[in-house]
Amino acid sequence: MDFKRPQASLLGAVLLACTALVSPATAFELFGIHLWGEKKEADEDAVIADPQKYTVEIAPGAPEETVKLIEGASGLAADKEKPASGAAGLLAKARGDYRRILGALYADGRYGGTISIKVDGREASDIPPDAELSDPAPVVISVDPGPQFLFASARIRNVAPPPTDPKDVVELPQDEGYRQGDVARSTAIVRAERLVVDAWREQGYPKARIVSRDVTADHDRNTIDASINADPGRQAAFGPTDVTGTERMDPEYVAFVTGLQPGREYDPDEIERAKKRLSRLEVFRSARIEEAEAVTNDGLLPITVAVQEQKLRRVGVGGSYSTLDGAGFETYWLHRNLFGHAERLRLDAKVSGIGGQSYDPQDYNYTVGVSFTRPAIYTPDTDFIASIIGERKVLDAYTQTSVTAEAGFTHIFSDELTGKLTANVSKSRFEDDYFGEREFLTAGLVGGLTYDSRDSKVDATRGYYLEGLLSPFYEFEYGSFATKFTAEGRTYYGFGADNRFVLAGRLKLGTIVGAEIAELPPDQLFFAGGGGSVRGYAYRNIGVNVDRDGDSYVIGGRSLIESSVEARVRITDTIGAVGFVDAGYVGEESFPDFAEDLRLGVGAGIRYNTGLGPIRLDVAVPLDRTDDDPSFAFYVGIGQAF
């Protein structure tokens, strides 16, 4: 069958291009455990009453790009390992391939091609549904794509004026392939329509729409004339926000959290920010923001927020094991919505270090704590946080028993920039071999900013992560004042097809000024070593080396330098490999004098991509090993090391 398009209106090209924008949700399993999506039966043949097997062949001699086009569009090729549901099912799938392949040709700017799909030697469109077919039935797909068409004209009527606010800038259709002389891809027309509408919406016209489009092909000249006509509608401001579906949540509070202020000019970016704010509450199973069908006579667009609340309480348990640190167990209890304003109360308990050094409970690490969060306390993006945490840590360098209370605020300035300001009080007792037993009482502030533009939190291929923390505090037992500052930066550079190769780097700097080491709690001092620091070394075993009576001890320092470089390569879609070098330095003075040695660790690892993030397995060797460091160390986790 020759499937040629006439020299007439090609509105179907635009409609067919839309099929490329829709993809079905798929199920996901990890190590045989079903996580989400529709779970299919292992034996799909069992649900097919009359399985019709078939083979698929692309006609010999087709250019490589045509073969790729067919393989990417054809349902027959994609499902060739699965039998169809009888002869009728196979023929229906073949007829569907005419449309799918045609859409792929249009998306490549080819409007004069021919498509032939033969089943059992006959054109599929000519075979009746009740025909008897061979088993397996041979299918041969032949496509002559024809020439690529160019835009002879690419017009737009009622283009939005240039925006005065840089935040309202939208890509120009001509920069996205909708321009005279460019290949006339149907997807370029669809993209142009979306950009035209988006440009009006960004300037406060919520009901902008495409009212007409004319697409005509000239097969003699292999050109396309395209014209798009937009209607911006009325400019509008946000109207009142109505909330439906709440049970325990306060509807007025939910409207406040969206940040959609009545009377403010409509902005689709504000709608997206409102969705993120609702998601951060962690209260709703679903939250949908709906715009009214029409702008009111007074120029307002009413908004409806439809929500469905989750269960109020959640309980979680977890466990871990390390060859260095032993086993650990943790649990938590969470209440999502105490008083109707999404207040979160969380209780945590954790024990770790079981069997790491011994099985004596006095050598284990314990943590118990309670935390409280009140979202949207002053603005929709400002949260109040408070916590009380009791800890006992048994480390090589010291043993810590402490209680810390903290309260303050976090604020989200943008999708990339967040900040926090908290006050804290800590009462602690430390025991170590060098200083003996000491007690501390500290009070201070912590202020910080974090900028994160990474494309992925668990497997970044580009972007930056920058964090700075400033912590002034006063120690009452010794009457000393100190200020601690830390800064960390991470950067990523991906290259190759689909960023197959990635170079990643990390640098962390720290300093403490104002008090001597002996007057500061060890948990405020700097240590390095272990996972997330310098791999290969014992946890927090890189510090300041001091001697007394012929014995050597490791204590914390007042300056820190850490760096890591990783080279990552994706071998297959699921398997990757990593090589890395870590370095760390801890100094006695506030500014590095390099009286201590710079410690290096090297290693390699493999990655298994689960779709949720890579499972990480690393092995590292310390190049400047001490008696307390292992000869090598293994690290297992989810997500890249940084």
Side-chain angles (χ1 to χ4, degrees):
M1 168 185 177
D2 290 336
F3 203 97
K4 293 187 177 181
R5 305 303 298 173
Q7 301 178 28
S9 173
L10 291 180
L11 298 183
V14 177
L15 298 177
L16 283 166
C18 295
T19 63
L21 305 178
V22 181
S23 59
T26 56
F28 184 82
E29 293 190 5
L30 176 61
F31 299 137
I33 302 174
H34 180 71
L35 297 180
W36 69 68
E38 180 183 355
K39 186 173 182 180
K40 299 181 179 180
E41 295 295 331
D43 185 9
E44 295 196 357
D45 289 3
V47 300
I48 298 177
D50 182 22
Q52 171 66 61
K53 296 182 180 180
Y54 64 93
T55 62
V56 177
E57 178 186 359
I58 297 174
E64 182 179 354
E65 61 180 18
T66 302
V67 173
K68 289 182 178 179
L69 183 146
I70 296 172
E71 291 176 342
S74 170
L76 288 167
D79 299 335
K80 61 184 178 182
E81 303 298 330
K82 306 174 185 177
S85 180
L90 176 59
L91 294 173
K93 184 171 290 191
R95 293 187 181 100
D97 265 9
Y98 287 119
R99 174 178 53 83
R100 285 186 285 268
I101 296 173
L102 185 64
L105 290 174
Y106 284 174
D108 197 36
R110 301 179 187 275
Y111 299 90
T114 60
I115 304 169
S116 172
I117 302 176
K118 293 185 177 180
V119 180
D120 257 356
R122 294 179 290 171
E123 198 65 44
S125 59
D126 297 333
I127 303 176
D130 58 350
E132 292 188 5
L133 302 177
S134 303
D135 188 19
V139 177
V140 178
I141 302 176
S142 177
V143 174
D144 178 4
Q148 279 189 317
F149 283 50
L150 304 180
F151 281 117
S153 62
R155 296 182 296 272
I156 301 173
R157 299 172 185 169
N158 291 331
V159 179
T164 57
D165 188 343
K167 296 180 180 179
D168 293 338
V169 172
V170 175
E171 294 89 345
L172 297 175
Q174 55 264 38
D175 293 337
E176 298 293 318
Y178 186 74
R179 179 170 49 191
Q180 182 180 3
D182 284 357
V183 176
R185 294 182 170 88
S186 60
T187 50
I189 301 173
V190 175
R191 172 72 171 161
E193 291 181 355
R194 186 162 60 245
L195 291 176
V196 169
V197 171
D198 287 349
W200 280 112
R201 283 172 57 84
E202 286 289 346
Q203 297 188 45
Y205 294 80
K207 297 305 175 183
R209 63 191 180 96
I210 300 299
V211 294
S212 67
R213 67 179 70 87
D214 293 313
V215 183
T216 306
D218 185 334
H219 287 263
D220 293 332
R221 295 181 176 87
N222 297 329
T223 59
I224 291 288
D225 288 291
S227 178
I228 298 171
N229 185 17
D231 176 13
R234 295 178 58 192
Q235 194 171 24
F238 285 116
T241 299
D242 182 42
V243 179
T244 64
T246 55
E247 299 175 8
R248 186 179 175 88
M249 286 289 290
D250 179 356
E252 293 184 3
Y253 173 76
V254 176
F256 169 75
V257 168
T258 65
L260 302 177
Q261 301 177 12
R264 186 172 180 177
E265 181 183 284
Y266 172 86
D267 186 347
D269 296 333
E270 287 294 330
I271 297 289
E272 292 304 312
R273 280 190 281 271
K275 293 177 181 178
K276 293 178 181 179
R277 289 168 180 145
L278 293 173
S279 177
R280 288 199 302 265
L281 294 179
E282 300 180 9
V283 171
F284 303 121
R285 180 177 291 108
S286 65
R288 188 175 66 256
I289 297 180
E290 301 171 347
E291 302 176 10
E293 291 292 331
V295 178
T296 63
N297 293 332
D298 51 0
L300 298 179
L301 182 69
I303 299 295
T304 299
V305 179
V307 300
Q308 183 180 9
E309 297 182 15
Q310 298 191 73
K311 294 181 179 180
L312 287 176
R313 299 169 184 83
R314 171 182 286 183
V315 176
V317 294
S320 62
Y321 179 77
S322 166
T323 57
L324 295 176
D325 303 322
F329 302 94
E330 57 186 292
T331 184
Y332 73 87
W333 177 89
L334 172 67
H335 195 298
R336 304 176 195 269
N337 187 16
L338 281 176
F339 309 117
H341 287 177
E343 300 90 347
R344 294 190 294 274
L345 179 67
R346 176 168 171 147
L347 307 178
D348 285 270
K350 180 178 180 180
V351 57
S352 62
I354 302 172
Q357 300 296 328
S358 74
Y359 287 94
D360 186 344
Q362 292 195 11
D363 295 330
Y364 300 166
N365 299 317
Y366 302 92
T367 301
V368 293
V370 56
S371 60
F372 175 81
T373 302
R374 167 52 156 89
I377 188 70
Y378 294 120
T379 76
D381 298 311
T382 305
D383 294 352
F384 171 77
I385 56 174
S387 64
I388 299 177
I389 299 175
E391 289 184 291
R392 176 176 171 81
K393 293 181 179 178
V394 181
L395 307 175
D396 291 337
Y398 58 81
T399 297
Q400 171 188 354
T401 305
S402 64
V403 177
T404 301
E406 182 179 35
F409 302 93
T410 63
H411 184 78
I412 298 175
F413 297 98
S414 67
D415 289 342
E416 293 83 20
L417 185 63
T418 60
K420 73 172 183 178
L421 179 63
T422 62
N424 60 76
V425 177
S426 179
K427 176 65 176 177
S428 56
R429 182 176 70 249
F430 290 88
E431 303 172 44
D432 62 64
D433 294 333
Y434 186 75
F435 290 107
E437 183 175 313
R438 296 175 297 164
E439 293 192 357
F440 297 91
L441 176 62
T442 61
L445 300 173
V446 177
L449 290 173
T450 302
Y451 177 83
D452 190 350
S453 64
R454 295 174 294 176
D455 58 343
S456 170
K457 300 297 188 291
V458 296
D459 193 9
T461 61
R462 58 180 173 83
Y464 302 93
Y465 175 91
L466 302 170
E467 182 180 59
L469 294 173
L470 183 66
S471 309
F473 62 93
Y474 184 78
E475 204 294 306
F476 291 90
E477 297 291 342
Y478 293 87
S480 58
F481 179 81
T483 299
K484 181 178 182 180
F485 174 76
T486 58
E488 182 175 1
R490 307 173 190 174
T491 184
Y492 308 85
Y493 175 67
F495 58 97
D498 299 324
N499 291 321
R500 180 183 176 190
F501 301 94
V502 177
L503 295 178
R506 180 182 73 93
L507 177 64
K508 183 176 182 180
L509 304 174
T511 183
I512 300 174
V513 296
E516 299 299 321
I517 288 177
E519 299 176 352
L520 296 173
D523 64 334
Q524 292 284 6
L525 297 171
F526 293 114
F527 290 86
S533 178
V534 185
R535 285 164 284 187
Y537 292 85
Y539 178 64
R540 295 174 70 89
N541 197 47
I542 299 176
V544 176
N545 294 298
V546 293
D547 295 317
R548 186 175 63 192
D549 299 330
D551 294 324
S552 180
Y553 305 91
V554 176
I555 62 174
R558 296 193 298 167
S559 58
L560 170 73
I561 301 174
E562 282 184 1
S563 65
S564 298
V565 176
E566 285 196 351
R568 305 168 183 169
V569 57
R570 190 173 67 251
I571 300 172
T572 69
D573 289 341
T574 56
I575 302 297
V578 172
F580 58 85
V581 178
D582 295 342
Y585 167 86
V586 175
E588 182 177 359
E589 302 301 323
S590 298
F591 298 95
D593 56 10
F594 293 98
E596 302 292 330
D597 293 331
L598 181 70
R599 304 291 183 87
L600 295 175
V602 299
I606 59 174
R607 304 290 185 265
Y608 178 81
N609 188 9
T610 65
L612 300 174
I615 294 177
R616 180 177 78 254
L617 173 61
D618 290 335
V619 58
V621 176
L623 299 185
D624 305 285
R625 177 176 175 269
T626 66
D627 291 340
D628 295 325
D629 294 314
S631 299
F632 58 89
F634 287 102
Y635 301 92
V636 179
I638 295 180
Q640 298 287 359
F642 60 90

